[in-house]
Amino acid sequence: QVQVVESGGGLVQAGGSLRLSCAASGRTFSKSTMAWFRQAIGKEREFVAASKWSGILGSVNYGDSVKGRFTISRSSDSSKPTVELQMNNLEPADTATYYCAASENMVISSQIDRPDRYDYWGQGTQVTVSP
């Protein structure tokens, strides 16, 4: 049984930082893409960042609203993949539930921001940024 579990959310003031973690288990994710999405109340799910795993050719992608502030990193162990999201200079607009997602196979760059490209999802972790 595949499990995707997020941790690390919380309440922070604007300008502060938080670090989210995600661990996937239950299968080998040697070719998977792992990503973070977020969803604020009343809004659609939004792509935040993704990390492709292809050994030394792995790459990362970011949503436009978080570029330069958020950093995604991923463990090199494909049997127990973990991905972290370092969030700096947080803004109230970053307030949302953050979801970790994993695909069974690599997601191509042109589709990496599409939630329907991912097969497994965590339950989400709340991030609240106060003014």
Side-chain angles (χ1 to χ4, degrees):
Q1 180 180 358
V2 174
Q3 286 190 317
V4 177
V5 180
E6 308 98 336
S7 62
L11 173 65
V12 66
Q13 288 187 328
S17 298
L18 280 175
R19 190 174 184 90
L20 306 183
S21 295
C22 170
S25 61
R27 61 164 286 154
T28 299
F29 291 88
S30 60
K31 297 182 180 180
S32 73
T33 296
M34 295 188 72
W36 290 95
F37 288 78
R38 67 186 183 186
Q39 189 164 18
I41 295 175
K43 295 187 177 181
E44 293 185 353
R45 193 160 293 193
E46 177 189 14
F47 172 72
V48 175
S51 173
K52 297 181 183 179
W53 175 249
S54 58
I56 60 174
L57 299 179
S59 64
V60 297
N61 298 79
Y62 295 97
D64 289 341
S65 62
V66 306
K67 284 180 181 176
R69 300 187 298 123
F70 290 13
T71 303
I72 188 171
S73 58
R74 181 169 175 173
S75 69
S76 59
D77 185 350
S78 62
S79 64
K80 294 182 180 180
T82 59
V83 63
E84 295 188 328
L85 185 69
Q86 178 66 41
M87 305 184 294
N88 297 328
N89 194 20
L90 283 160
E91 305 168 351
D94 296 316
T95 295
T97 300
Y98 283 70
Y99 296 92
C100 181
S103 65
E104 292 188 345
N105 299 294
M106 185 180 293
V107 178
I108 61 176
S109 294
S110 62
Q111 297 181 353
I112 208 161
D113 60 347
R114 289 176 48 176
D116 65 343
R117 299 293 91 184
Y118 297 86
D119 303 287
Y120 307 104
W121 290 82
Q123 292 299 308
T125 185
Q126 180 66 35
V127 171
T128 302
V129 184
S130 63

